[in-house]
Amino acid sequence: MLLELFPLVAKGYLQGKRKAEFEAKREVNRKKIAAERAAIKRTGKLLIRDLTLRDGQQSLFATRVPQKEIEKVLPLYRDANFYAMEVWGGAIPDSVMRYLNEDPWHRLESIKEIIGDVSHLTALSRGRNLFGYSPYPESVIEGFNKNAVKSGLGIMRIFDCLNDVKNMETTIKYMKEAGGIADCAVCYTVDPKFTKKQRWNALLSGKKLPKKIFDVDYFVDKAKQMQALGADMITVKDMAGLIPPSLSGNIIRRLKQELNVPVDFHTHCTPGYGLGAVLMAMVNGVDIVDTNILNFAGGPAAPAFEIIQIFADKLGLDTGVNLDAVVKINKELKGIRERIAEFDSYKMFPLEFDITADYLPNDIDALFEKAIVLAKADKETELLEVCNAIDKFFNFPAPNEEVKAAEIPGGMYTNMLAQLKALGLADLLPTVLEKVPEVRVAAGCPPLVTPSSQIIGVQAVNYVLDVNSGKAPYTNVNNQFFNLVKGEYGETPIAIDPEYREKICGQREATAFDVSKYKSPENPVLEELGGVKLAENEKEMLLLELFPTVAGPFLKNRKAEVYYAKIEAEEAEKQRVISEKKAAFAAIPVEEKQEIVIKGLYNMHGTSDHELQEIKLPEAESKLDIKTKEMIAKEKPKSRLVG
């Protein structure tokens, strides 16, 4: 009735009234939910590693969250009390320099300054390779880990794309010596998926295809080797989200039986296995799980913390996380996501859900209960259906069926498709997908994780392009594939045929990377910027060592900013002095001014230029000052790098 009589006024009034009623109901719910949660009998613990500020933003927003946005949520994170926060490593150091013109070391140090010792700050690195492809000398590995811990890092998650534990040994050593925690990751991957035609061809040619390689025993054995090297914890790291729930449960159960260090589980949601796989890990005794807060979760990212917390409550597990702080963080994250919308790969916001004040609908709550029953009974098919329904309720992206069918990482799939599209040959993608297993097995069957997945993907595309243009396969071999087959990146899961290695590299025997031939990048003196060195301390030199093509321009830009800021400060000081003298001269009575001028004229022959400047009426701005300003405006580089 009110809307009909007073449409404009009534609409705003009624909306305000409904909002007030909703918030009032939420306040009542908040008290009830808090009481219910306090009454839960907790029989175990589940630690949470929050990935939001590193893996979360990298998976969804191409690592484009700037420092000013990070700082908005840090005080809230300090209150949240997560066991650990992944905030560094991965693509962070490269991206913040390349796209945001920010110092990676400053990011880590500024986060530590706010978080303190409430949560362990964690990072991701590739063992001896750190952030590159080839191994670094021990001096670089030691310097990096030492400075990372000094800057606030608590846990370094160490992985190798070949699961070659020898490539992890030095990082484990130096991380522990620096006082940090060595978290060693076993990279989950799938076996090659061959077509019937490929199996028949292999049978007829007498070349046997490999039997199952990546079974439970493989992952457990790798974890035990890492523990023997000094790992403080073991992570099952499923970068592609390809581990199905039953296998997740089996691996975690075996690790808990055979290891004496904590076990963490990490996965993603791209093909739709993520939530079910995490739940199976939980019911099988995992110590730590990796999650993102709601607005940075789902799709190519990890499962949402809020959903895992609901499961933890129903399982009687104590996460120790302050949920009031999480609600506040999630609200800030929504604003951040809106402000970086141009980098949002989905532009699909999850359901607005306050875990401290919103009850789940009865049918959805029943799905959580059913999922737990199915997980305990190891009924994978039904479990996935229920978990996908839960994800759908929270408005997360649907499973990527193409990635699921291809059984390759989402990033590898999209990169191969982009490579073909750029050449106008997207129709060749099915052929490329068919060739991936062949190329992978020939190269020693490396796990499909970064960067080996990209190496195999690029070479599979090259293979098909060669054949499509009438050339022999492997006419075009990318450098990284060459080095992989040669043996420079480490030992592959299965041996490479010497004849194949000779075909690709011109040699039959594997050759490890010769670290003694490593050359540090040049660190020139920048004469044009006051004679400072490009890298003035160990941390800056490490950036040059690890990211030479990005850190070089970044550091030079920083030095230029300092140099021109100094010139501008000197110019400002000069103008201040002149202004003061102008004001002092202006305040002198006219008679005294005339007397000073006359006196100056009589003594001009013995007066210095400096003294003359003090008594003459100065111009509004000297020509020298204008020239200096023009020079600064012309030569001063842009304050931001072009990404």
Side-chain angles (χ1 to χ4, degrees), residues 122-275:
T122 79
L124 179 69
S125 73
R126 300 176 190 161
R128 291 178 67 201
N129 301 353
L130 295 176
F131 299 96
Y133 287 97
S134 300
Y136 284 93
E138 292 206 12
S139 59
V140 176
I141 299 171
E142 180 182 16
F144 172 74
N145 285 281
K146 177 188 70 177
N147 280 282
V149 172
K150 187 177 179 181
S151 294
L153 195 73
I155 301 173
M156 181 69 79
R157 176 170 282 170
I158 309 156
F159 79 99
D160 178 69
C161 71
L162 301 180
N163 275 334
D164 183 352
V165 296
K166 294 189 296 294
N167 283 340
M168 304 167 72
E169 189 171 2
T170 52
T171 301
I172 296 171
K173 171 188 173 184
Y174 291 122
M175 189 64 189
K176 291 169 74 74
E177 285 182 1
I181 296 171
D183 169 18
C184 294
V186 182
C187 295
Y188 175 78
T189 190
V190 298
D191 285 289
K193 184 180 179 181
F194 295 102
T195 63
K196 289 182 179 179
K197 180 181 177 181
Q198 287 170 320
R199 292 186 182 280
W200 273 111
N201 288 341
L203 184 64
L204 293 172
S205 66
K207 291 184 178 180
K208 292 183 179 180
L209 294 176
K211 294 181 179 180
K212 190 166 185 62
I213 304 166
F214 303 109
D215 56 11
V216 175
D217 287 338
Y218 169 87
F219 298 112
V220 172
D221 182 59
K222 290 293 180 182
K224 290 166 77 172
Q225 291 179 46
M226 293 172 189
Q227 179 179 264
L229 288 176
D232 296 304
M233 66 172 67
I234 296 293
T235 293
V236 176
K237 185 167 177 60
D238 175 23
M239 300 183 185
L242 291 173
I243 188 168
S246 290
L247 187 53
S248 162
N250 289 338
I251 293 174
I252 295 300
R253 185 166 56 252
R254 282 280 304 279
L255 292 177
K256 288 300 297 176
Q257 290 170 354
E258 300 188 34
L259 299 179
N260 54 25
V261 295
V263 177
D264 191 332
F265 182 67
H266 173 104
T267 191
H268 293 248
C269 299
T270 313
Y273 295 144
L275 184 57

Side-chain angles (χ1 to χ4, degrees), residues 573-594:
E573 176 61 18
K574 180 180 177 182
Q575 292 301 322
R576 186 191 66 78
V577 171
I578 291 174
S579 296
E580 285 183 357
K581 290 179 178 179
K582 281 184 183 180
F585 189 80
I588 297 174
V590 176
E591 295 80 4
E592 289 188 29
K593 288 179 183 177
Q594 292 175 346

